Amino acid sequence: MEALQTAIRSPASISQKPQKCGTNKHGSMELRGYKGKVYVSLTGTRFKLCKSEQDFRAGLGISLIDLTASNIKETDRRLFQINTPFRNFCFTAESEREKEEWIEAFQESIAETLSDYEVAEKIWFNESNRICADCRASQPEWASINLGVVICKKCAGQHRFLGPSLSKVRSLKLDGSIWSNELVELFLEVGNENANSFWAASLPLEEELHMGASPEQRATFHRRKYRERKYRRVLESLHDQEQLNQVETELV
């Protein structure tokens, strides 16, 4: 309880918002100082510049840049700049919306360079923590520390919509400061299997959430599971809802 209370009181150290799954984006943009457009491929923590999409498909590139110690600067409506230790790159996207998508993708890649997998590897030692407690996606990198479940990025986003009073979401990779040895031990001891034996004890097969679910399906499932507590196990020693609510309040 002390480990949980300490973690709950601690703010997220880096990320308040889970990023979208997987940094993998490519497309054409204008590059200042280069005649015509270049084809940009962003994968993981690096991006590649190619003369054309054909060169990209053939594996030919002008340069490959690592985003470690990089940052982003917005300059104009469709312009943005990536500042790296190697050099600065000023791109012009085809639209403002496309610019926003590129910036979000680059931000995720830069955040990935700051990630620490040590906590994740420890918590995944419990096999049930290797799949999301809600949709069963593999290698979930987020957790609701007060609900005791390890979850994927997509489900973490829906947990955010539930509100911090219901689900306090933290990253296994970015919020390293809150993961004390005691909290890690707790998640190893409980694990998603035991947590779901309470939260999803009476979950019907037809209402299970799958990793390919839409945001709307996820929102409905998470509301039913955690806000309405539709699938939870009823504790036999408690005979009315008031008693149950009191115990659950003390737990979280």
Side-chain angles (χ1 to χ4, degrees):
M1 288 300 297
E2 184 178 345
L4 274 177
Q5 289 169 351
T6 300
I8 288 170
R9 287 193 296 266
S10 301
S13 57
I14 297 177
S15 177
Q16 290 291 335
K17 180 181 178 182
Q19 304 287 340
K20 292 184 177 180
C21 288
T23 308
N24 192 338
K25 183 173 175 58
H26 51 84
S28 296
M29 288 192 290
E30 294 180 13
L31 174 63
R32 180 176 294 175
Y34 186 86
K35 293 182 179 179
K37 293 184 177 181
V38 294
Y39 198 81
V40 184
S41 170
L42 177 62
T43 305
T45 61
R46 300 187 297 179
F47 71 97
K48 180 189 291 186
L49 299 180
C50 303
K51 290 183 178 180
S52 64
E53 184 175 359
Q54 289 73 22
D55 281 5
F56 166 69
R57 302 294 179 191
L60 303 174
I62 301 172
S63 57
L64 182 66
I65 299 94
D66 191 287
L67 287 166
T68 301
S70 299
N71 61 73
I72 301 173
K73 179 182 179 182
E74 295 190 53
T75 56
D76 205 343
R77 290 177 58 189
R78 296 187 295 121
L79 277 67
F80 65 97
Q81 184 169 299
I82 305 297
N83 301 320
T84 77
F86 171 61
R87 57 165 285 191
N88 298 335
F89 300 85
C90 188
F91 294 108
T92 303
E94 295 183 355
S95 66
E96 289 186 56
R97 180 177 179 180
E98 185 70 12
K99 169 192 170 182
E100 291 176 1
E101 291 178 357
W102 274 110
I103 288 177
E104 183 177 3
F106 272 109
Q107 285 174 334
E108 180 180 354
S109 290
I110 292 171
E112 187 73 13
T113 67
L114 303 173
S115 298
D116 183 356
Y117 280 88
E118 183 179 357
V119 171
E121 292 291 350
K122 287 179 179 179
I123 287 181
W124 290 342
F125 189 77
N126 182 321
E127 290 191 10
S128 69
N129 290 338
R130 296 179 187 176
I131 58 174
C132 174
D134 294 333
C135 74
R136 303 186 66 79
S138 62
Q139 295 187 310
E141 299 174 354
W142 295 78
S144 173
I145 55 175
N146 61 314
L147 297 179
V149 292
V150 183
I151 51 180
C152 69
K153 289 182 181 179
K154 290 182 179 179
C155 287
Q158 294 300 327
H159 274 252
R160 292 285 187 187
F161 288 127
L162 293 174
S165 62
L166 191 59
S167 181
K168 290 179 170 57
V169 181
R170 295 292 184 267
S171 172
L172 303 186
K173 299 192 305 178
L174 303 178
D175 296 319
S177 63
I178 68 123
W179 290 100
S180 63
N181 290 335
E182 292 78 11
L183 188 60
V184 171
E185 291 269 347
L186 179 62
F187 270 77
L188 282 172
E189 185 68 25
V190 177
N192 280 347
E193 184 176 357
N194 287 331
N196 272 333
S197 70
F198 174 77
W199 292 114
S202 59
L203 175 62
L205 185 63
E206 63 273 15
E207 293 188 32
E208 288 184 356
L209 187 69
H210 301 285
M211 64 181 74
S214 67
E216 293 76 17
Q217 290 171 322
R218 290 177 189 274
T220 298
F221 177 83
H222 289 97
R223 185 186 69 250
R224 290 174 176 173
K225 183 177 181 181
Y226 298 110
R227 185 178 297 282
E228 300 173 5
R229 302 172 183 178
K230 179 179 178 181
Y231 314 118
R232 61 163 173 77
R233 176 169 59 89
V234 177
L235 303 179
E236 296 178 0
S237 60
L238 302 175
H239 303 291
D240 59 53
Q241 186 65 41
E242 185 177 347
Q243 286 180 306
L244 178 63
N245 289 340
Q246 179 63 33
V247 170
E248 289 178 345
T249 300
E250 292 173 357
L251 287 175
V252 299

